[in-house]
Amino acid sequence: MTLILMMRRGIHLRGIRSFSSKQRSSRKQKAKLRQIRVGERQEKLKAELDEFRFERQPTQKYTSSRTVENRPRYGNPRSELLSRMNQNSRYLKGFKPFFEEVDEHMAKMKNHKEKNSAPASLASFLASLGDLPESENNQNEKQEQPSLWDSSGSGNQYIFDVFAISKNQVSPAPNSFDDEIYEQYKSMMEEVIDNRSFNLRHTQKPLKESYLKAIVGWLLKDSKVMDSKLSSLSELMKDGLSLDDSIRGEQTRLLKSQLDEQAEAFLDRTKMTKDQYKTSVKALRMLGHLCAKRARGNVLDIAWEKIKEAGIVLDEQALNNYLYVASTTGGRWSLSLTKRGRKSPRFGDGAGHMSVLDIFDKRQDDDPEEDEIEESEDDFVDVAGEIATVHDLLYKPSEQSVGMRVKSLVANGKGEEAESLLNSFDDDNGVLRLRSYLPVLRLYCESGKVGEALRLFKKMHNTPTVVIEPETYVQLISAVAENGYFVPGSAPVPGAEDLGYPVGSGPGLFDHLASEMSDEVVEITSASSRRLYNAFLTSFRGTSAARNLKEMHALAPLPKTMDRADEDELVLNKVSVDSASALCPRTGAKLRLIGLEQDQRVKLYESLLDMSQLRYDHNRGTVRDLDYAVSQLRNFAEMLDKREGEPFTAIVDGANVAYHMQNFEQGMFNFHQIKFMVDALERMNENPLVIIPYKYSTKRFYVGTNSKEKQILSKEEIQIRQTLRERGQLYMVPAGCLDDYYWILASVSNQTVSRRGRDLKVELGDANGRWPGARPMIITNDNMRDHKLQMMEPRLFQRWYSCHIVNYHFTGFVGSESVDREIGFATADFFTREIQGNESPGVSIRSTGTAWHFPISDWDLDDRFCIRIPSHSKN
């Protein structure tokens, strides 16, 4: 155990000899004796603890048979007893604890190793450090500050000792760092200094104490040693980087020159050598890496100040770490060091010293000049913006650096400058993403600059690397609505028609924006629906169109409204669409079942070919024929296209049906269930095709995917399979290929020869009793989790799924028997679950406008958020 513990503590084992069998036996005996002694002492301790009991008395909170003065400080008898035992040698006489023996051995090895010159420990080393020179602003103002909680005092402190009434308390040093942030910085920097990688030179020799003294003293100093004189950086933060290459080159040269001057002044001030300076840079590089691993953004406030005061030029990788932390922690804004302690009076904030009574009575007797000291924009340092600016001056701009510069400009209200920065990059350079544009778009929307917002949105829409999310559309449409541009007869949005919008205001502009949204977005959230509700209500408030609407709280659910709206009424309601007729009860609009267009079918077909190849290569392990899976899927598609006879109108996922409800002990792949499904579909005037994997074409096969049990088909099951093959209603997928791709492809196949130009879609009220919807339909209970994200974008997948998937349910068979011969189908949707606009018919007029229905992700399946702006209104 000694050897194992030393290995865990990182002790080098060279020089430690191995033990013989006799020595090991002797050590085992000693260990047993020690265990016996430990047990005896534990019993003795327990007996003493039992004697030491507290009794509650009416006059004293805690008393015992011993005197009150001797009780533990915190009323813990166990802690007092243990402390007494540690001081009493009679408990440890003749016995040295095992761990103490190991610790002594470790201390000997460590002392021997550190004789070269490395400091014994960080704590003892820091205690030996002398103070570095103070900052120019600090030298004449440093005073010792009393601790709020001084444990060495004569007794407990009162609250008035903490929040003193006296105004003569010492203020924090002007250049000192924030105490809370400094403690976090100090903790992580000490971890860096303790790191073996920091303490060793490239020659693997430890750094000497005399060498480290100035370095560690500066790294752990709680205030600035000197002011950073980087005027060019301050100007760049105000004016931004130039987009002109020649001017930008001059800005880079000026910043580098000032950094070099700052570094020389820093070395002269701290008396560091250039080699010590490099070691300090190494520590700050390691700190940036550690902050990136732990997402500690506050620490960068101090680290970046030290980098600036030392004139350090970080390499690109280190600067990227600082940039990553600044961007992922939401950007860093720190209070300027010269303003710390001078904020508006608050407990412990510095200049405004008040007692508790002053706060309760709202009395402020401080110097009036101090009351006038307030925080201005210049009192804050945009740490993230400075890091990004330095990065883009010295190295190639990245997505993170550009994003942080955009946020910095937006924070200063410079939306046009931020947009110009974004426009300076090519659309396909890979630097710009949605998050690059969002701060500017949000600024335009919140400040009512709708024309600028539409212009920027058009730019975002045309940028290939930007994927617009539903919330972005909601934000834009809400901003247009709040500024009244959707109200009939309103003035056009400035520049809207120049951007290609057919109309600049009114219901037509909303229809165009909603149509663009429907091309990329499937559904929105209930929070977004409330946002749209209140935005439209803002612009229509006070009009007759909004007479039945009331403002909703941002968290209140929208009530469902099923009454028919008046022709001139603004509709902003939650409705439930009739699942059989697809009619909206509020507007009378009929929702459509939107299927795949021909180009979308081709896109799906090509995606399936690519996916089949990848799946085949993964399953086979070795690639015998790279085109095998693709060629087999193409052969299947050609077979469907050239096949004569009646077209297939129902594609059955054979494996899914055969295993349905077979999760019991005698469960199996049941061909009787497949026959039951085929018979039911034929009675409904459908022409089914069953698709099964290749392994079920044999007499014996393993049940399920990972099962080791083999199933042997009965003669009846073999006959069912044979009958289906003879009738052309069974297709067996080639070995190594996934059957899912085959029944998906069959649903979008043209079946050119057999269809003979006919539309296979079944309309509502079919004479043969067939339910309405697209054909061919897919009979499966597969949730399609493996295909949804890979196959196509969400909107196309939703169209395909809504049109073709039919779920089923029946009682599972036991062999060829079933207690219930009923089968139920959950038919494909009668209308597509996606954003769509449809004409809203009127009574006295032909149309009252376009009714838009938005599916909501956290509402019921048939519920929609309906928006209809009336095309006319009553005066």
Side-chain angles (χ1 to χ4, degrees):
M1 285 189 64
T2 305
L3 188 61
I4 294 174
L5 183 62
M6 289 192 295
M7 291 176 66
R8 289 180 177 175
R9 299 260 183 121
I11 301 176
H12 296 288
L13 299 180
R14 272 184 294 181
I16 298 179
R17 61 186 178 84
S18 59
F19 301 108
S20 64
S21 59
K22 291 183 178 180
Q23 289 173 321
R24 285 195 292 269
S25 176
S26 175
R27 291 177 67 84
K28 289 180 179 179
Q29 292 176 0
K30 290 179 180 180
K32 289 182 179 179
L33 289 174
R34 285 177 179 173
Q35 290 178 358
I36 294 173
R37 291 173 182 173
V38 169
E40 293 174 352
R41 281 155 181 75
Q42 287 179 345
E43 292 295 330
K44 199 169 186 178
L45 293 178
K46 185 177 180 181
E48 281 216 36
L49 285 173
D50 291 338
E51 294 176 5
F52 198 85
R53 293 189 179 93
F54 278 85
E55 298 175 359
R56 189 173 298 276
Q57 301 293 333
T59 58
Q60 293 180 341
K61 187 173 183 180
Y62 295 109
T63 60
S64 69
S65 58
R66 303 170 189 261
T67 61
V68 177
E69 288 75 18
N70 292 333
R71 74 171 185 265
R73 183 177 180 182
Y74 297 101
N76 187 344
R78 183 181 180 87
S79 63
E80 181 192 6
L81 182 61
L82 293 178
S83 65
R84 284 195 305 100
M85 290 170 53
N86 288 335
Q87 298 171 3
N88 195 337
S89 60
R90 69 185 181 86
Y91 290 104
L92 303 175
K93 185 176 181 180
F95 172 73
K96 178 179 284 189
F98 168 72
F99 293 105
E100 184 177 331
E101 182 181 358
V102 174
D103 290 339
E104 288 181 1
H105 180 70
M106 291 176 62
K108 289 179 182 179
M109 293 188 65
K110 190 172 184 180
N111 291 334
H112 174 74
K113 182 178 179 181
E114 293 174 349
K115 281 182 180 179
N116 294 330
S117 66
S121 67
L122 180 60
S124 61
F125 174 59
L126 295 178
S128 68
L129 291 177
D131 290 336
L132 285 177
E134 289 293 324
S135 166
E136 298 153 359
N137 297 331
N138 245 10
Q139 288 179 346
N140 299 326
E141 299 184 22
K142 182 176 180 182
Q143 299 182 30
E144 183 178 357
Q145 299 187 36
S147 172
L148 293 181
W149 306 107
D150 188 0
S151 60
S152 63
S154 59
N156 295 329
Q157 290 183 318
Y158 294 98
I159 190 170
F160 298 103
D161 296 326
V162 180
F163 303 108
I165 300 177
S166 172
K167 302 177 187 176
N168 298 322
Q169 293 185 10
V170 179
S171 301
N175 278 341
S176 63
F177 299 122
D178 179 84
D179 292 340
E180 182 178 352
I181 298 177
Y182 172 73
E183 289 301 323
Q184 299 178 28
Y185 166 83
K186 180 183 177 183
S187 175
M188 296 190 72
M189 182 55 77
E190 287 177 349
E191 188 173 344
V192 169
I193 295 172
D194 272 339
N195 193 291
R196 189 169 181 267
S197 300
F198 173 77
N199 283 294
L200 293 180
R201 297 177 180 269
H202 65 278
T203 58
Q204 299 301 310
K205 293 182 179 179
L207 299 173
K208 295 184 179 181
E209 181 177 339
S210 58
Y211 176 87
L212 284 173
K213 185 174 182 179
I215 299 171
V216 177
W218 174 67
L219 291 173
L220 296 182
K221 191 167 181 59
D222 62 354
S223 62
K224 295 176 65 175
V225 172
M226 61 183 298
D227 294 328
S228 58
K229 299 178 180 179
L230 302 176
S231 59
S232 62
L233 181 58
S234 300
E235 293 174 359
L236 289 171
M237 292 305 297
K238 292 181 180 179
D239 304 331
L241 296 182
S242 175
L243 301 179
D244 184 86
D245 292 339
S246 59
I247 300 178
R248 185 167 175 172
E250 183 61 30
Q251 291 175 335
T252 304
R253 286 189 292 272
L254 180 58
L255 178 63
K256 287 184 176 179
S257 174
Q258 291 185 355
L259 286 171
D260 292 340
E261 294 174 0
Q262 183 73 25
E264 292 177 5
F266 174 78
L267 292 175
D268 181 65
R269 181 78 175 169
T270 59
K271 309 303 180 185
M272 283 190 191
T273 65
K274 290 188 176 181
D275 194 46
Q276 288 174 317
Y277 182 81
K278 291 181 180 179
T279 305
S280 301
V281 175
K282 178 182 178 181
L284 290 169
R285 290 181 72 257
M286 294 175 65
L287 179 66
H289 179 70
L290 189 61
C291 288
K293 289 176 62 177
R294 300 183 182 175
R296 299 293 294 273
N298 284 343
V299 177
L300 289 189
D301 293 352
I302 297 179
W304 185 247
E305 288 294 337
K306 289 188 176 291
I307 287 173
K308 288 194 296 182
E309 76 169 345
I312 295 173
V313 179
L314 292 175
D315 61 87
E316 186 173 8
Q317 180 59 46
L319 203 53
N320 282 335
N321 284 335
Y322 276 73
L323 192 62
Y324 169 77
V325 176
S327 62
T328 54
T329 54
R332 300 299 315 149
W333 283 84
S334 67
L335 186 64
S336 174
L337 297 177
T338 59
K339 297 292 180 180
R340 294 203 185 276
R342 303 177 67 183
K343 300 168 69 176
S344 55
R346 202 168 55 210
F347 290 140
D349 262 353
H353 299 293
M354 299 184 297
S355 72
V356 175
L357 295 178
D358 292 330
I359 295 176
F360 289 154
D361 295 342
K362 298 183 180 179
R363 295 195 306 265
Q364 297 187 15
D365 299 326
D366 293 322
D367 192 352
E369 295 182 0
E370 291 188 359
D371 292 341
E372 295 177 0
I373 297 177
E374 296 180 356
E375 299 162 5
S376 65
E377 292 182 2
D378 295 335
D379 297 339
F380 288 86
V381 178
D382 182 4
V383 177
E386 288 186 349
I387 295 174
T389 300
V390 172
H391 177 278
D392 287 1
L393 268 181
L394 302 179
Y395 309 107
K396 183 180 179 180
S398 65
E399 179 197 348
Q400 288 179 335
S401 64
V402 172
M404 296 311 300
R405 287 169 59 194
V406 167
K407 290 180 180 179
S408 178
L409 291 169
V410 168
N412 293 320
K414 299 179 179 180
E416 288 76 11
E417 290 85 345
E419 185 179 358
S420 298
L421 171 61
L422 295 170
N423 291 336
S424 65
F425 296 94
D426 297 330
D427 293 343
D428 56 350
N429 61 5
V431 173
L432 303 181
R433 296 288 189 275
L434 176 64
R435 55 179 169 265
S436 307
Y437 287 95
L438 281 181
V440 188
L441 181 66
R442 188 178 299 113
L443 175 64
Y444 285 155
C445 290
E446 292 176 354
S447 58
K449 297 181 178 180
V450 179
E452 289 82 349
L454 284 179
R455 182 188 65 219
L456 182 65
F457 184 79
K458 183 69 71 173
K459 171 72 174 177
M460 296 166 59
H461 195 271
N462 295 331
T463 303
T465 55
V466 174
V467 180
I468 301 180
E469 297 177 345
E471 291 75 13
T472 308
Y473 276 102
V474 171
Q475 185 179 38
L476 177 68
I477 294 175
S478 298
V480 179
E482 286 170 344
N483 287 274
Y485 288 109
F486 290 148
V487 177
S490 60
V493 176
E497 295 183 3
D498 296 336
L499 295 173
Y501 292 98
V503 291
S505 65
L509 179 60
F510 172 66
D511 292 342
H512 190 82
L513 292 175
S515 179
E516 286 185 352
M517 182 178 182
S518 66
D519 290 337
E520 300 185 17
V521 176
V522 175
E523 60 188 9
I524 61 175
T525 64
S526 57
S528 295
S529 69
R530 292 191 293 269
R531 175 80 172 89
L532 290 171
Y533 179 95
N534 287 325
F536 275 87
L537 187 59
T538 299
S539 58
F540 281 87
R541 184 181 286 111
T543 65
S544 60
R547 57 186 176 274
N548 294 324
L549 298 175
K550 297 180 180 179
E551 188 170 354
M552 297 288 297
H553 188 274
L555 299 179
L558 285 174
K560 187 179 295 185
T561 306
M562 303 295 287
D563 298 334
R564 185 63 180 264
D566 296 334
E567 295 175 350
D568 65 333
E569 187 177 352
L570 173 67
V571 177
L572 299 171
N573 298 112
K574 175 182 180 180
V575 299
S576 183
V577 180
D578 187 89
S579 59
S581 64
L583 289 175
C584 170
R586 190 82 173 122
T587 62
K590 183 175 182 179
L591 277 66
R592 294 164 291 149
L593 181 64
I594 307 174
L596 297 176
E597 304 293 338
Q598 183 58 34
D599 60 332
Q600 296 169 345
R601 290 171 175 265
V602 172
K603 185 177 181 180
L604 172 60
Y605 172 71
E606 293 174 350
S607 299
L608 290 173
L609 293 179
D610 295 337
M611 292 165 59
S612 66
Q613 179 64 70
L614 293 174
R615 179 60 181 252
Y616 176 75
D617 293 345
H618 174 74
N619 284 351
R620 303 293 290 185
T622 59
V623 181
R624 179 183 59 188
D625 181 0
L626 292 177
D627 295 328
Y628 176 77
V630 175
S631 62
Q632 292 299 317
L633 193 58
R634 281 179 176 157
N635 291 340
F636 176 67
E638 291 179 4
M639 183 273 294
L640 291 176
D641 215 30
K642 297 178 180 180
R643 171 184 164 276
E644 297 181 354
E646 288 299 314
F648 293 117
T649 59
I651 310 299
V652 179
D653 180 1
N656 186 271
V657 173
Y659 280 120
H660 177 67
M661 301 291 288
Q662 293 293 315
N663 53 344
F664 53 91
E665 188 173 353
Q666 292 83 22
M668 61 180 183
F669 186 93
N670 199 314
F671 272 99
H672 294 282
Q673 294 187 170
I674 293 178
K675 183 178 183 301
F676 177 64
M677 177 64 72
V678 170
D679 292 342
L681 291 171
E682 288 180 340
R683 288 194 300 270
M684 297 161 56
N685 298 311
E686 305 291 348
N687 185 22
L689 171 66
V690 180
I691 296 177
I692 62 174
Y694 176 79
K695 74 173 187 177
Y696 301 115
S697 64
T698 61
K699 184 177 180 179
R700 302 175 176 223
F701 48 82
Y702 288 104
V703 180
T705 305
N706 301 317
S707 175
K708 296 183 179 179
E709 298 182 5
K710 277 193 173 183
Q711 176 180 338
I712 302 176
L713 295 180
S714 65
K715 292 183 179 180
E716 293 180 354
E717 291 176 311
I718 295 175
Q719 183 60 44
I720 293 173
R721 187 180 63 189
Q722 183 63 28
T723 302
L724 291 174
R725 292 188 66 177
E726 293 175 354
R727 295 170 57 184
Q729 292 181 321
L730 180 66
Y731 184 87
M732 287 176 287
V733 176
C737 299
L738 185 66
D739 61 315
D740 295 24
Y741 300 148
Y742 283 75
W743 48 258
I744 293 173
L745 186 144
S747 67
V748 295
S749 172
N750 288 327
Q751 301 190 67
T752 306
V753 175
S754 60
R755 189 165 58 88
R756 297 188 295 275
R758 291 176 293 174
D759 186 1
L760 301 182
K761 182 179 178 181
V762 178
E763 299 294 339
L764 189 64
D766 181 74
N768 296 322
R770 302 166 68 193
W771 64 68
R775 299 292 191 275
M777 55 186 176
I778 299 177
I779 310 299
T780 183
N781 286 335
D782 194 325
N783 290 324
M784 306 291 291
R785 295 190 182 96
D786 296 334
H787 320 300
K788 181 175 182 179
L789 297 179
Q790 304 177 50
M791 188 168 53
M792 61 181 89
E793 57 265 31
R795 183 174 60 89
L796 297 184
F797 175 83
Q798 192 63 52
R799 287 186 177 182
W800 173 82
Y801 192 92
S802 297
C803 291
H804 295 279
I805 297 297
V806 174
N807 299 136
Y808 63 89
H809 179 75
F810 59 82
T811 304
F813 282 55
V814 178
S816 60
E817 300 295 330
S818 175
V819 296
D820 185 2
R821 288 282 178 167
E822 295 294 326
I823 186 170
F825 292 96
T827 62
D829 295 339
F830 291 165
F831 51 92
T832 308
R833 184 179 170 80
E834 64 176 271
I835 300 172
Q836 57 175 286
N838 301 281
E839 183 180 290
S840 175
V843 179
S844 61
I845 56 176
R846 188 182 65 84
S847 175
T848 60
T850 301
W852 286 90
H853 291 83
F854 297 80
I856 306 300
S857 57
D858 47 346
W859 288 359
D860 292 339
L861 191 64
D862 294 332
D863 288 348
R864 300 288 189 274
F865 177 60
C866 179
I867 299 179
R868 187 198 67 183
I869 303 175
S871 57
H872 74 291
S873 60
K874 296 179 182 179
N875 296 327

